[in-house]
Amino acid sequence: MVAVRLQGIRKSYGTVEVLKGIDLDIQDGEFVVFVGPSGCGKSTLLRVIAGLEDASGGDLYFDDQRFTDVPPAKRGVAMVFQSYALYPHMNVADNMTMSLRLAGVDKAKRRERAAEVAEMLQLSPLLDRKPGQLSGGQRQRVAIGRAIVRNPDIFLFDEPLSNLDAALRIETRVGISKLHHTLRNTMIYVTHDQVEAMTMADRIVILDRGVIAQVGTPMELYQAPANIFVAGFIGSPKMNFLPVREEGRGDGKVRFSTETGEAFELAIDLPAGEPIAQLGIRPENLAIGADGQIGGRVSTVEQLGSESLVYVEADKATFVCKITSGATPKIDETVRLVIPEHPLHLFDAGGEALPRHTHSSPR
Amino acid sequence: MARKPGETIWSDAGRWLMITLSLVFVLFPIVWLTVASLKTRNAALAVPPELIFTPDFDAYSRIFSGGFLGAFQNSLIIALTNVFLTLLLGVPAAYALTRMRGKVQENLSFWLLSIRMAPLFAVILPLYVLFKSLGLLDTPLAVSMAHLTLTLPLAVWMLVTYFRTIPEDLDQAALLDGANSLQILWLVIIPIARPMLASVAILVFIYSWNEFLLAFILTSRNAQTVPVAVASLAGTMSFDWPLIAAVSVVSMLPALVFVGFAQRHIVSGLGSGAVK
Ligand SMILES: Nc1ncnc2c1ncn2[C@@H]1O[C@H](COP(=O)(O)OP(=O)(O)OP(=O)(O)O)[C@@H](O)[C@H]1O
Ligand SMILES: [Mg+2]
């Protein structure tokens, strides 16, 4: 159980810079999720922490001790690979206790420890099987067991659920969360699935092309995304974005016009600064109503039981409304979209969120 | 053989015919050799050949009296040494080649093999001079090392291809478990690659066992191998056909035993279950 500190971590492969200076503090016992689109450098960052890749620059501290040059086996980290990476020629018990064998622990003790961990993961009847004789979910648990056996300070997970089917994924997700509650170890978890990130993380680190886009608790990221990238990445369905031109502000009001010539006014109180270039509205905050500011046409309606998703073509883009009550409009119906004043996300031309004067306002 | 749906008795018959033909093709020389080894010297060369005759084991006893045991011993030593050295040097080399990154490593295994695309005659003379100056001429070691110049690149090339299919995640899992490179190789890679190691061992053994030219050039009396000894029989005035046949038949035995032994390691499905 240790705190991890990353200072200006860089990694280049040849001329390609994959990590461009990562600064991050992870608390002792925290469950941190790295999330981001494919190729953004999540795995690379995890492997730098594990010591499987050398950083090209920057430093890594575990509990204020510099660990940048410590070999992987001495870092007290255990990693669960996306591919599981089980030793195919060894049975489950030997797979899980390979680290003990290499540390010179005798066979009886190893078997004991394997049985102990297998008990935790419901693997007891499978101890003598080879990985080839296990199902995907069982292999996954053996891989986690191998990490637990080592009693590491830090658990690293690289997309451990991506090879499982949907049901097993949820089950294992819950299992890993439980594990964190029992063991209270520092855990770093990589995924590109924002639902996994939202449900498991104490804090989420969003990576975008080798830089940190934002760090925060799931709700912080959801309610106050720092930029368009984060706003669009967190939340499902995605946040709607409406490009606008600011026509003037004053009196706590801002006047806008859109590309297609719609014009409207919203009560927005914000400090002087960059003009607003885009409005961001989450689907659950976008309503359909006669007094809406922009007009559009319904293109698709998805009934999900407890809610409906209505797709509206408006202003040369598709907007998604999540409707939980009332009548849903029909396809091809002409509707107007109601842009709320709260919660409404504002972005400047560079995609950075513009801060509003905070006033607690009910929905 | 179970018939698949839609197949008639004729496709069954066709299949058996093909199998029989290829067996005849492969086995005929062996049968013929065996038959010849059991005839007397005159009967062996009789035209037309006698189909019915009393077997005569005289040729086999002459293997012992004629000093062939030494040749068998040499061949065995040379082939086993060669298998041992090839694996000892080839496995770590191939492993290193697959796990090191860089342009050079990527192409090195190919260049290793390409060395031996030159005709054998181009290397024989330098090898002869080399071994002569080392005082190793006419020793089994010289022949083994000469064979190594072919078998080592071949083995490295085959093993590189195989090691590439072993996911590097396994190495890294072992690394995190506390293994050093040698332990990763010994505890993870080699057990997984056992079928391939067995195949390489078989090929190398057979090559070394049967190789003639290098063994002929580099040995004179003490280190003569079976193929060289057989060839020297053929050159003598009295052409002892049954003896040649008998030596050939016996010379197949060690190879058969070795292949049978090594083949037990070629079990499929061992590599499955590592990933995914
Ligand atoms: N060994 C390597 N050599 C060159 N480039 C590499 C290497 N490994 C990774 N990269 C590049 O680094 C970038 C980040 O890779 P990384 O594996 O960290 O992505 P990721 O965020 O884990 O993506 P995914 O979600 O697809 O796993 C990618 O653009 C990839 O092409
Ligand atoms: Mg990855």
Side-chain angles (χ1 to χ4, degrees), chain A residues 54-300:
Chain A
D54 291 325
S56 330
D59 272 309
L60 172 71
Y61 296 88
F62 290 174
D63 274 347
D64 292 326
Q65 254 185 300
R66 192 169 171 276
F67 263 66
T68 320
D69 304 318
V70 174
K74 302 240 158 67
R75 292 188 181 199
V77 301
M79 182 153 165
V80 177
F81 292 80
Q82 176 174 0
S83 62
Y84 311 153
L86 299 178
Y87 311 120
H89 55 293
M90 294 183 191
N91 66 23
V92 168
D94 290 342
N95 256 287
M96 293 203 295
T97 54
M98 174 76 155
S99 55
L100 303 181
R101 175 176 172 191
L102 289 164
V105 177
D106 69 59
K107 198 161 172 116
K109 284 237 179 61
R110 291 194 324 241
R111 186 76 195 185
E112 207 174 294
R113 179 80 178 128
E116 207 177 287
V117 172
E119 182 74 41
M120 264 172 87
L121 298 168
Q122 284 126 48
L123 288 170
S124 302
L126 307 176
L127 277 178
D128 293 313
R129 294 234 197 130
K130 298 260 174 79
Q133 302 164 314
L134 300 177
S135 73
Q138 290 166 338
R139 282 178 208 170
Q140 168 57 249
R141 275 180 283 153
V142 174
I144 293 175
R146 183 167 64 183
I148 296 175
V149 163
R150 293 189 38 207
N151 207 355
D153 295 322
I154 306 168
F155 276 93
L156 306 175
F157 296 89
D158 191 356
E159 308 209 23
L161 309 185
S162 55
N163 289 329
L164 302 181
D165 65 45
L168 207 51
R169 218 168 179 155
I170 294 172
E171 192 184 312
T172 317
R173 194 168 86 201
V174 174
I176 292 177
S177 288
K178 263 194 204 144
L179 192 71
H180 181 239
H181 276 284
T182 332
L183 300 175
R184 284 271 141 225
N185 287 41
T186 309
M187 294 193 179
I188 305 176
Y189 187 103
V190 164
T191 179
H192 59 251
D193 179 353
Q194 57 106 7
V195 178
E196 259 171 46
M198 291 291 282
T199 50
M200 301 175 86
D202 290 330
R203 277 195 309 157
I204 296 177
V205 176
I206 300 198
L207 289 171
D208 178 22
R209 280 165 292 176
V211 296
I212 293 183
Q214 193 174 359
V215 184
T217 65
M219 284 327 275
E220 274 168 17
L221 298 191
Y222 189 78
Q223 289 169 343
N227 48 51
I228 285 216
F229 178 79
V230 175
F233 195 80
I234 295 287
S236 172
K238 274 178 62 157
M239 185 186 278
N240 297 298
F241 296 106
L242 175 65
V244 291
R245 201 165 58 234
E246 219 185 294
E247 299 293 352
R249 32 171 120 162
D251 265 358
K253 301 214 167 181
V254 186
R255 272 176 290 117
F256 297 103
S257 68
T258 70
E259 221 177 308
T260 50
E262 308 256 17
F264 54 91
E265 196 177 63
L266 291 173
I268 296 172
D269 195 12
L270 80 173
E274 292 279 305
I276 299 167
Q278 289 207 61
L279 303 178
I281 314 114
R282 294 217 179 268
E284 57 269 36
N285 304 129
L286 188 61
I288 289 172
D291 54 346
Q293 293 90 337
I294 57 173
R297 193 181 53 82
V298 176
S299 63
T300 314

Side-chain angles (χ1 to χ4, degrees), chain B residues 48-267:
Chain B
E50 298 169 43
L51 290 179
I52 317 244
F53 60 98
T54 16
D56 172 28
F57 291 93
D58 183 49
Y60 286 91
S61 62
R62 264 180 291 142
I63 294 179
F64 296 95
S65 59
F68 280 98
L69 279 186
F72 273 99
Q73 195 185 347
N74 286 333
S75 276
L76 204 60
I77 289 172
I78 287 168
L80 289 179
T81 310
N82 193 24
V83 168
F84 176 74
L85 287 179
T86 301
L87 292 181
L88 183 75
L89 301 174
V91 169
Y95 179 63
L97 280 174
T98 53
R99 294 315 196 241
M100 292 186 326
R101 287 175 193 155
K103 272 270 176 304
V104 180
Q105 285 80 4
E106 252 165 52
N107 298 319
L108 199 58
S109 58
F110 172 75
W111 291 118
L112 271 176
L113 193 65
S114 74
I115 291 172
R116 290 310 310 267
M117 288 173 188
L120 192 52
F121 277 102
V123 285
I124 282 185
L125 192 62
L127 275 178
Y128 184 87
V129 174
L130 188 70
F131 287 127
K132 191 176 160 84
S133 57
L134 288 172
L136 286 175
L137 278 184
D138 203 18
T139 63
L141 186 63
V143 183
S144 268
M145 297 217 298
H147 288 174
L148 206 57
T149 61
L150 175 74
T151 56
L152 187 57
L154 184 73
V156 167
W157 184 71
M158 286 173 74
L159 289 170
V160 159
T161 312
Y162 191 82
F163 287 167
R164 286 224 173 96
T165 66
I166 301 178
E168 230 171 303
D169 277 1
L170 282 180
D171 300 56
Q172 301 190 330
L175 190 68
L176 283 171
D177 273 341
N180 59 35
S181 298
L182 266 183
Q183 285 170 318
I184 296 174
L185 185 60
W186 186 248
L187 296 174
V188 179
I189 304 298
I190 288 180
I192 294 174
R194 222 171 59 179
M196 193 57 185
L197 297 185
S199 306
V200 169
I202 288 173
L203 279 179
V204 169
F205 184 91
I206 291 177
Y207 167 80
S208 221
W209 185 259
N210 287 326
E211 198 282 333
F212 172 73
L213 192 55
L214 286 166
F216 178 69
I217 304 279
L218 296 174
T219 62
S220 41
R221 280 179 38 220
N222 297 331
Q224 227 178 37
T225 62
V226 175
V228 177
V230 170
S232 68
L233 276 182
T236 51
M237 291 287 282
S238 55
F239 191 74
D240 193 344
W241 187 224
L243 181 57
I244 292 175
V247 172
S248 305
V249 167
V250 174
S251 83
M252 284 189 299
L253 293 181
L256 280 177
V257 169
F258 184 83
V259 170
F261 171 77
Q263 210 161 22
R264 283 194 320 190
H265 293 272
I266 307 180
V267 281

Side-chain angles (χ1 to χ4, degrees), chain B residues 27-46:
Chain B
L27 292 180
F28 178 74
I30 297 175
V31 171
W32 191 68
L33 260 183
T34 314
V35 169
S37 71
L38 295 172
K39 290 184 174 174
T40 58
R41 229 190 272 198
N42 292 333
L45 295 174

